[in-house]
Each structure stands twice: as structure tokens, then as C-alpha cells.
């Protein structure tokens, strides 16, 4: 199929006389794919059992006539008002025990038998109608699915059944949860209910973690119900759903397990932060999506203009952003980039979530840039079949994400922060990173980064041990080995199950929060690398102040005060009552080594540490990348394409094979190189 450029289009929101003009303009821009019918249930079935596809047939034909393919959506995120009026039991129930107010989207109960019947009927009609239409190549299931947090009677019983299957008896639940606290022991399964009320985080963390696991499983089951139905009607259809980093994230690895590819809704920032320590690049998000199935993915919604509606509008994308951010997604493995949306809505809640065309209906600056993007995508078709191949893996865990949200560890500290810091450390020196499930294989990697392993998974521990024994490098961080699978704290000195691997134990810890402190680098190699990156990357305003005898980095958020058992100390704290105590260590383990980072250092430190680890495995890296410049590769057989992206709002320069490459803000330069690094 090649690399596809597309748009999200809502024909039901526009007069039919506009469709052909829109399709002609799309064709001129190089659009090859449109996504439609996402929220069109009321137009497809205006009254129960009255199905009307004539308007959608016309829309499909308009695009088909211009060589543009169609990706349809099951419209199940927004049931029509007649369904809520006739079947009020399909409305979600909130944590207060009341049905939520309708009138927005996503307000249906995924488990409701009545709702499932309504869904099956509209999906059967939709897929039956279009399964022989060659222009329709696949289906997006629903929209931006979150973990199912409905508390209706059906969902309460579903949660209770989930608990029965997992534990068997209430006595087993009491033991796993430690329910003797606050007199929480169950005497009957009738007492087992989802966490309710305004103070969810006051409730037993074991219950809330299990509830989130159930909620994720519930959403996966809902998606699987739709997938099986579609494939039973049209086995050739490609099927996906669009994901995003929402409040109640399902387990992405379970969610996409049976789907053809991952899709993501990508909205990078339009306002570059002035604080050089703030991480804003969506390279992390893109690598996370690629790692779910460990293959290329799609962008189902891509930034097209200022975003806003229920919050103040963001700044409008500056020149270069529309094109640069789309190509950034391609560089990280996106085979399709579909922009949200073609037209900015003139009605409804999203009228200020801007598309390619503004309310004026006059093609402007963003339209022209989108057209330029189409020309660039046209020149990249030989990328078809290429993929991103990296030797560094970063582990992600849904349990750790939930566990961290349920009980905040320190002011401003959150799970993804340490993942983003480590990802930035490697990408900041030009080394690519795969973000993978902790259950995935480590084969093919030299370095495995395992930050914030809050919830115990013995299988992961054994895999990390074997990986290090065989010569791999492992990195662990603070807040690892804290809890068992039931979300209870482990009675042992931290990092508990990782102590032997790390060669350290924690004597005390301190939640530092937003306060910053000094981190003194004691290892000469690491100290030199830190100073080099400070100078080259301009991460320090005053590079002349770099000290020659030792180099002070900074830390914040958390402090594990360590005692080195078998590990070598690389950095110590430079202030507070724990000044001089180990903060960062490395331990020899088998043929490999294991790093332990007890705090959250600054960006430069992560880059210096990444450089040390990359050098140990002879990975090519650069310590002269200007801040904001990203280098990514896609490979196919003996050929690689190098993407150099200036993800900043100022001009940058970089040396490539001895030549100076100048980059405008948000400019992407792409060249083809052979396997040995020679440009073609």
C-alpha cells in the first residue's frame, strides 16, 4: 500500500454539493485515504431498524472516483438519542451510582446486553453493505476506547464474576488484599463491588488495581466482540481501533493483540516550552505505539491546526509543524498519517479543533503546507516494507501505570516521566529506542531499560537476570520492587526482588518532589561525558562554568539512598542529610551489567549515562546533537533512510559526513544510505 496520506472526513456534517470540491482538493494534495462514519449512527439509522446508506454510498463513490480509498468506522461510540430514550439501561453509571448525562460521546455501557444487540445490528448492516466495495479497505472499531469504568448493575456483576474467576473465594481476596485494614473483610461475594464515590484513592489499592485490570479486560472483550463480528462478515477487512494516552488507559498490548495494526491519535504540542528540561517530543508516543505489536502502525488522527473547544485554544501550528510532525510519525514507523480533520467544524463541541481548512473555507497557509507534505509523501513510496530496527528496549507496564496513578509517590512524579527521561536520554544522542511490553521477548536487544518496576512480576525479573547473565545491559530505577502483584508492599529492603541484580539496597528514601538538588558524578568517564554533552548540546547556558575536577548534575522527584553491596558507585548526592551517599550505581552480573538510578536526574545526565551504555555495546551515538534535533532510521534489506528532524522553534545545524546540514524550525531532511552508512 505504500506510505499513505489521509484525512478524517465527516460528510454527514456538510452539504453534498461540497463533497466533490473537497475530494478534488484532497486529490490535488495527494490524499489516498479518508476515514468516515465515526460518529454517524443517527444518520445511518435515524430510527430503530430504519437503515439508510444512500448518503454514505454517494460519499464513498465520490472518493472512489478519484482514486481515494475509504476506511470506515463502527459508529458505536455515539448511539443515537432514540436508543438512549428507548433503552436508558445502556447509559453508563458513574462513581456516584447515577447514570451520566448524555449529549456527548462515549456515554454507553460496553457490557449492556441491549447495547451489544444494537451494536451488532448496525455493524452487520454496515459490513454487509460494504464488504464487496473495493474502495472500503477496513474498519476502525469505535473511537478512543478507555478502560470500561461503568458501575451499572450489569458491570458490577461482571466485575464480581471476574473476581470469582480470579480468586475463587472471598477468603482468598481478603488474604491478597490485606482486608483486615479498616475492617474490610468480605463475608460474601455480594459485598464485592467496584470502588465507588469521590475518594477512590482512599479505598484499598489492591481493589482499585484489580478493578482497573477488570476494566481493561472488559474493554478488550467489547473490542473483540466487534472484531469477531466484522471478520465473520468480511474476512479480508483490515481492522484496528484508535488509541490515545487517556486517563483510564486499557492495557494496549491486550487491546491490539488480535488487531491488524495499531492506530494512534497524535497531537504534538504547538507551543515549544522555554524550559530546556521539559520533555515535549512525541517521539516517545510514536515509539510506544510501534512497540505494542512491534511493527509499523498508523496515525488515525494527526494535528492539523490549533486544538481547543472544552479548553482554551492552543497556539496555531507555526510554519513547518504540519509537515514536520507528520514526517516525524513516518520516521518512527507510521505507514499512514491521517489528519484530523479536513474541514474545521462549524457546529458542535469541536468547532475550535481546527482542521486543514478553516471556517472561512479559503485554503490558507496550513492547506499549502499539507499540499507540500503530499508531494513529499509521494517521493517516499519506496519506504514501503521498511521498518524501524533498534537495539535498545524500554519496558512499559500497564500495571505500573495504574499502580502509580492510584497512589502518587511524590509531588509532580508520574510513571511515564521516568520512561520519557530514559527515552530522551538515548534519542538525545541519536540512538533509537523500542518501547515494549515487559512480557515481550528481549531477543535482539543489547540494552533493556526497566524503569519504575513498581509491581512485582517474577517472570520479568527472571528475564532480566538471564539477559544480563548473557551479556546484556539492564537499567533499573527507584520505585522498583515496591509491591507484589496484589498491590501490597513487600516486607524487604528495596529494591526487594531486584537487589541481587542491582547489587545495592535502599537504606532510606525521600520524596523530594519538585525541589531540585545536586548530584555529584564520581565516575571519571561519566563525568567527562556529562561535560561534553553540556557543551555540545547547549543544555547549560553557561558552558564555561563546567568544573574540571568533578561535575555536578541535578536531581528532583525522588531519592533512594543506597548502600552498594557489590555495585560500583557512579554518582552520589551532593546535598541534604544524605550528601555523599550513593545515588547511581552499576553492578557486574554474569557477562553483563546492571545500572541502578535511585533518583530522577537532569536531561544531560541521562544522555551521558546513555552514552556510556551505548559505548559498552559499540552502538553508534552522537554527543553533539543540538537540543531538539532527532535522528531516526527506517530500514529495508541493505538500505536505510535517515530522518533528521529539527523538533524546535529555532534554526539548527548538524554535521553529517563532514558536511553542515542546516535545518529550519520543524524541518525534516531525509536521505538514503546503504548498510555501511554511505549516502546514496
Amino acid at each position: 500500500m505504500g506510505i499513505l496520506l489521509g484525512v478524517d472526513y465527516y460528510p454527514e456534517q456538510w452539504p453534498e454539493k461540497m463533497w466533490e470540491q473537497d475530494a478534488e482538493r484532497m486529490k490535488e494534495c495527494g490524499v489516498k485515504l479518508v476515514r468516515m462514519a465515526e460518529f454517524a449512527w443517527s444518520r445511518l439509522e435515524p430510527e430503530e431498524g430504519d437503515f439508510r446508506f444512500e448518503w454514505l454510498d454517494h460519499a464513498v463513490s465520490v472518493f472512489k472516483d478519484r482514486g481515494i480509498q475509504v476506511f470506515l468506522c463502527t459508529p458505536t461510540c455515539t448511539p443515537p438519542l432514540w436508543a438512549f430514550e428507548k433503552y436508558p439501561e445502556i447509559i453508563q453509571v458513574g462513581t456516584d451510582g447515577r447514570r451520566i448525562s448524555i449529549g456527548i460521546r462515549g456515554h454507553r455501557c460496553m457490557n449492556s446486553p441491549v447495547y451489544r444487540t444494537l451494536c451488532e445490528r448496525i455493524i452487520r448492516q454496515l459490513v454487509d453493505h460494504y464488504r464487496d466495495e473495493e474502495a472500503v479497505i477496513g474498519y476502525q472499531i469505535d473511537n478512543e476506547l478507555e478502560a470500561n469504568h461503568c458501575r451499572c448493575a450489569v458491570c458490577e456483576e461482571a466485575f464480581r464474576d471476574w473476581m470469582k474467576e480470579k480468586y475463587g473465594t472471598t477468603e482468598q481476596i481478603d488474604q491478597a488484599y490485606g482486608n483486615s485494614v479498616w475492617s474490610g473483610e468480605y463475608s460474601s461475594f455480594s459485598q464485592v463491588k467496584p470502588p465507588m464515590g469521590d475518594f477512590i484513592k482512599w479505598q484499598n489499592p489492591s481493589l482499585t488495581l484489580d478493578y482497573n485490570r477488570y476494566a481493561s479486560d472488559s474493554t478488550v472483550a467489547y473490542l473483540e466482540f466487534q472484531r469477531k463480528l466484522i471478520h465473520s462478515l468480511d474476512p479480508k477487512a483490515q481492522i484496528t481501533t484508535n488509541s490515545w494516552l487517556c486517563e483510564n488507559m486499557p492495557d494496549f498490548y491486550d487491546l491490539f493483540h488480535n488487531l491488524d495494526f495499531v492506530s494512534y491519535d497524535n497531537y504534538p504540542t504547538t507551543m515549544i516550552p522555554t524550559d530546556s528540561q521539559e520533555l515535549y517530543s512525541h517521539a516517545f508516543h510514536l515509539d510506544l505505539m510501534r512497540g505494542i505489536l512491534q511493527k509499523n502502525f498508523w496515525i488515525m488522527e494527526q494535528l492539523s491546526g490549533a486544538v481547543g473547544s472544552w479548553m482554551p485554544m492552543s497556539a496555531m501550528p507555526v510554519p513547518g509543524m504540519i509537515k514536520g510532525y507528520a514526517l516525524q510519525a513516518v520516521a518512527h514507523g507510521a505507514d499512514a498519517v491521517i489528519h484530523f480533520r479536513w474541514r474545521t467544524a462549524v457546529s458542535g463541541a469541536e468547532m475550535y479543533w481546527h482542521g486543514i481548512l478553516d471556517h472561512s473555507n479559503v485554503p490558507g497557509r496550513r492547506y499549502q503546507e499539507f499540499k507540500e507534505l503530499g508531494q513529499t509523501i509521494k517521493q517516499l513510496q519506496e519506504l514501503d516494507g521498511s521498518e524501524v530496527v533498534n537495539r535498545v528496549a524500554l519496558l512499559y507496564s500497564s500495571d505500573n501505570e495504574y499502580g502509580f496513578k492510584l497512589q502518587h509517590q511524590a509531588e509532580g512524579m508520574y510513571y511515564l516521566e521516568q520512561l520519557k527521561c530514559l527515552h530522551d536520554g538515548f534519542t538525545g544522542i541519536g540512538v533509537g529506542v523500542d518501547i515494549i511490553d515487559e512480557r515481550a521477548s528481549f531477543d535482539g536487544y543489547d540494552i533493556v531499560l526497566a524503569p519504575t518496576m513498581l509491581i512485582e512480576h517474577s517472570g520479568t525479573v527472571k528475564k532480566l537476570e538471564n539477559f544480563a547473565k548473557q551479556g546484556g545491559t539492564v537499567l533499573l530505577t527507584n520505585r522498583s520492587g515496591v509491591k507484589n502483584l496484589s498491590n501490597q508492599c513487600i516486607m524487604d529492603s528495596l529494591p526487594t526482588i531486584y537487589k541481587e541484580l542491582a547489587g545495592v539496597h535502599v537504606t532510606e528514601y525521600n520524596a523530594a518532589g519538585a525541589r531540585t538538588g545536586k548530584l555529584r558524578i564520581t565516575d571519571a568517564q561519566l563525568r567527562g561525558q556529562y561535560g561534553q554533552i553540556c557543551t555540545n548540546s547547549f543544555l547549560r547556558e553557561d558552558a564555561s562554568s563546567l568544573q574540571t575536577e568533578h561535575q555536578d548534575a541535578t536531581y528532583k522527584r525522588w531519592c533512594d539512598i543506597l548502600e552498594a553491596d557489590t555495585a560500583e558507585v557512579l554518582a552520589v548526592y551532593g546535598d541534604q542529610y544524605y550528601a555523599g551517599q550513593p545515588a547511581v550505581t552499576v553492578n557486574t552480573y554474569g557477562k553483563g551489567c546492571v545500572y541502578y538510578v535511585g533518583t530522577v536526574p537532569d536531561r544531560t545526565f541521562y544522555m551521558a549515562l546513555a552514552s556510556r551504555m551505548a559505548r559498552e555495546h559499540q552502538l553508534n551515538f552522537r554527543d553533539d546533537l543540538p537540543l531538539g534535533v532527532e535522528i531516526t532510521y527506517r530500514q529495508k534489506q541493505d538500505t536505510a533512510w535517515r530522518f533528521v528532524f529539527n523538533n524546535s522553534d529555532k534554526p539548527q545545524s548538524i554535521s553529517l559526513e563532514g558536511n553542515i546540514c542546516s535545518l529550519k524550525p520543524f524541518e525534516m531532511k531525509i536521505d538514503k544510505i546503504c548498510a555501511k552508512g554511505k549516502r546514496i
Side-chain angles (χ1 to χ4, degrees):
M1 294 178 66
I3 309 298
L4 299 175
L5 179 66
V7 292
D8 296 304
Y9 193 61
Y10 298 87
E12 70 274 17
Q13 298 179 16
W14 308 105
E16 290 193 18
K17 63 182 179 181
M18 298 176 66
W19 296 356
E20 294 207 6
Q21 180 192 53
D22 284 339
E24 282 294 329
R25 283 177 171 171
M26 291 179 200
K27 181 180 178 181
E28 291 174 4
C29 290
V31 168
K32 296 297 183 183
L33 186 67
V34 294
R35 181 187 69 158
M36 295 194 300
E38 182 183 15
F39 302 126
W41 194 341
S42 65
R43 185 61 61 92
L44 293 168
E45 190 182 5
E47 295 182 12
E48 186 171 9
D50 178 14
F51 298 99
R52 301 184 183 181
F53 290 97
E54 296 83 7
W55 66 273
L56 188 54
D57 290 341
H58 180 199
V60 169
S61 68
V62 165
F63 292 107
K64 179 181 178 180
D65 290 346
R66 290 159 179 81
I68 299 174
Q69 295 178 309
V70 175
F71 214 85
L72 292 177
C73 305
T74 64
T76 51
C77 183
T78 53
L81 293 179
W82 61 255
F84 290 123
E85 181 180 48
K86 188 172 183 179
Y87 307 107
E89 64 268 35
I90 73 174
I91 303 173
Q92 276 185 29
V93 171
T95 58
D96 60 357
R98 299 179 180 179
R99 299 201 181 275
I100 65 174
S101 299
I102 62 172
I104 54 173
R105 65 190 190 195
H107 36 228
R108 71 283 187 257
C109 170
M110 299 178 192
N111 286 330
S112 165
V114 174
Y115 174 66
R116 291 281 186 100
T117 298
L118 296 173
C119 288
E120 180 173 352
R121 190 168 59 195
I122 186 66
I123 293 170
R124 280 190 180 277
Q125 290 287 330
L126 184 70
V127 180
D128 269 338
H129 192 84
Y130 289 106
R131 66 182 167 194
D132 295 324
E133 172 53 68
E134 61 182 4
V136 176
I137 62 171
Y139 296 88
Q140 172 193 300
I141 293 176
D142 211 271
N143 176 70
E144 294 183 340
L145 289 166
E146 295 195 40
N148 178 35
H149 277 226
C150 177
R151 266 79 165 186
C152 73
V154 171
C155 289
E156 180 179 313
E157 191 61 34
F159 175 57
R160 191 173 293 120
D161 289 342
W162 187 93
M163 293 282 282
K164 286 178 181 178
E165 183 176 352
K166 180 171 182 177
Y167 293 103
T169 67
T170 57
E171 289 79 11
Q172 289 295 321
I173 300 175
D174 289 338
Q175 183 178 351
Y177 286 11
N179 276 342
S180 57
V181 175
W182 290 359
S183 194
E185 290 157 316
Y186 297 117
S187 59
S188 167
F189 262 107
S190 64
Q191 298 155 11
V192 177
K193 297 180 180 180
M196 302 287 287
D198 296 330
F199 299 99
I200 300 296
K201 290 179 181 178
W202 282 55
Q203 299 191 37
N204 191 319
S206 300
L207 171 68
T208 50
L209 178 60
D210 258 350
Y211 179 73
N212 277 289
R213 289 166 172 160
Y214 148 79
S216 178
D217 288 351
S218 177
T219 298
V220 171
Y222 167 72
L223 182 140
E224 187 65 3
F225 145 71
Q226 293 206 25
R227 184 200 66 80
K228 286 181 176 179
L229 177 58
I230 295 169
H231 268 157
S232 71
L233 299 167
D234 186 0
K236 70 181 185 303
Q238 300 180 83
I239 303 178
T240 187
T241 189
N242 55 331
S243 58
W244 63 305
L245 302 187
C246 52
E247 176 63 24
N248 298 314
M249 288 193 291
D251 187 320
F252 291 134
Y253 305 99
D254 294 340
L255 190 73
F256 286 97
H257 181 70
N258 289 325
L259 300 186
D260 292 298
F261 53 86
V262 170
S263 295
Y264 176 60
D265 294 350
N266 189 40
Y267 293 100
T269 184
T270 59
M271 182 67 73
I272 303 303
T274 57
D275 182 359
S276 65
Q277 294 297 320
E278 188 172 339
L279 306 181
Y280 62 86
S281 175
H282 267 225
F284 174 86
H285 301 233
L286 301 169
D287 288 341
L288 175 62
M289 293 301 121
R290 189 186 67 253
I292 295 171
L293 291 179
Q294 294 185 273
K295 67 178 186 179
N296 292 358
F297 61 100
W298 282 22
I299 298 296
M300 202 58 83
E301 295 183 14
Q302 174 72 20
L303 177 77
S304 297
V307 301
S309 281
W310 43 88
M311 70 284 203
M313 276 188 281
S314 69
M316 193 63 72
V318 301
M321 270 188 179
I322 300 297
K323 183 177 179 181
Y325 280 152
L327 292 175
Q328 181 193 33
V330 173
H332 286 266
D335 282 344
V337 181
I338 302 172
H339 282 70
F340 184 88
R341 45 194 284 171
W342 175 250
R343 287 187 170 277
T344 308
V346 297
S347 59
E350 289 187 324
M351 64 176 69
Y352 294 121
W353 202 286
H354 291 71
I356 298 297
L357 292 176
D358 286 329
H359 296 132
S360 66
N361 198 30
V362 177
R365 171 180 62 84
R366 298 196 312 284
Y367 174 87
Q368 294 301 327
E369 189 173 320
F370 181 73
K371 194 173 182 179
E372 292 175 14
L373 171 64
Q375 290 301 311
T376 300
I377 295 291
K378 184 178 180 180
Q379 298 167 10
L380 294 178
Q381 292 311 303
E382 61 180 342
L383 281 170
D384 187 27
S386 65
E387 57 185 358
V388 179
V389 180
N390 294 315
R391 291 166 63 185
V392 179
L394 174 62
L395 304 189
Y396 173 89
S397 163
S398 181
D399 271 359
N400 291 335
E401 163 72 21
Y402 279 137
F404 224 84
K405 280 182 178 177
L406 294 171
Q407 290 182 302
H408 291 154
Q409 303 293 288
E411 179 188 356
M413 191 176 186
Y414 60 101
Y415 173 64
L416 290 183
E417 178 181 44
Q418 292 203 71
L419 275 71
K420 288 182 176 181
C421 286
L422 286 166
H423 180 272
D424 178 73
F426 279 87
T427 57
I429 61 170
V431 176
V433 178
D434 291 343
I435 304 174
I436 64 173
D437 185 3
E438 66 172 323
R439 297 165 292 187
S441 171
F442 299 162
D443 291 348
Y445 295 110
D446 297 317
I447 300 169
V448 172
L449 312 171
T452 320
M453 303 299 286
L454 187 77
I455 308 294
E456 171 193 28
H457 283 273
S458 58
T460 304
V461 177
K462 292 177 182 176
K463 283 168 49 181
L464 291 172
E465 289 174 345
N466 290 333
F467 180 76
K469 284 178 182 177
Q470 295 169 13
T473 294
V474 172
L475 182 142
L476 296 162
T477 74
N478 58 82
R479 311 318 290 145
S480 293
V482 178
K483 296 185 174 186
N484 63 21
L485 273 173
S486 296
N487 211 17
Q488 291 190 44
C489 286
I490 299 172
M491 287 186 64
D492 192 5
S493 57
L494 294 169
T496 66
I497 57 175
Y498 298 102
K499 276 192 296 186
E500 181 182 350
L501 192 60
V504 298
H505 68 273
V506 178
T507 61
E508 187 180 353
Y509 56 72
N510 182 40
R515 185 189 62 78
T516 60
K518 291 183 179 181
L519 190 64
R520 181 155 298 171
I521 304 173
T522 56
D523 177 74
Q525 178 187 343
L526 189 59
R527 183 170 64 242
Q529 196 67 57
Y530 185 90
Q532 185 74 17
I533 293 173
C534 274
T535 303
N536 290 342
S537 298
F538 308 104
L539 283 167
R540 287 271 182 96
E541 291 292 331
D542 186 11
S544 63
S545 68
L546 300 177
Q547 301 177 38
T548 57
E549 293 185 5
H550 63 262
Q551 182 61 56
D552 285 345
T554 60
Y555 71 84
K556 60 181 178 180
R557 303 293 188 232
W558 191 270
C559 300
D560 273 352
I561 303 159
L562 304 174
E563 184 169 318
D565 300 322
T566 56
E568 173 191 351
V569 178
L570 301 180
V572 299
Y573 294 107
D575 58 3
Q576 299 300 311
Y577 59 89
Y578 35 86
Q581 296 298 305
V584 181
T585 61
V586 61
N587 185 47
T588 299
Y589 194 88
K591 297 178 181 179
C593 63
V594 180
Y595 288 82
Y596 189 91
V597 182
T599 185
V600 182
D602 58 54
R603 291 182 77 179
T604 318
F605 186 91
Y606 282 110
M607 291 180 193
L609 192 61
S611 300
R612 176 187 168 113
M613 297 166 74
R615 183 179 284 109
E616 290 170 349
H617 289 278
Q618 300 180 329
L619 303 183
N620 292 325
F621 70 93
R622 303 186 57 144
D623 57 13
D624 63 345
L625 280 185
L627 195 63
V629 174
E630 302 171 4
I631 299 180
T632 317
Y633 296 87
R634 286 181 62 149
Q635 302 177 29
K636 182 168 63 174
Q637 298 175 344
D638 293 333
T639 303
W641 288 262
R642 179 173 58 195
F643 296 76
V644 183
F645 180 42
N646 178 14
N647 193 1
S648 76
D649 56 2
K650 61 183 179 182
Q652 304 267 30
S653 295
I654 179 176
S655 175
L656 297 173
E657 286 82 41
N659 299 314
I660 299 300
C661 174
S662 298
L663 296 159
K664 299 175 184 177
F666 307 103
E667 183 178 8
M668 175 77 80
K669 290 195 175 179
I670 308 167
D671 58 0
K672 188 163 63 172
I673 58 179
C674 72
K676 294 182 180 179
K678 183 179 179 182
R679 295 179 66 180
I680 298 175

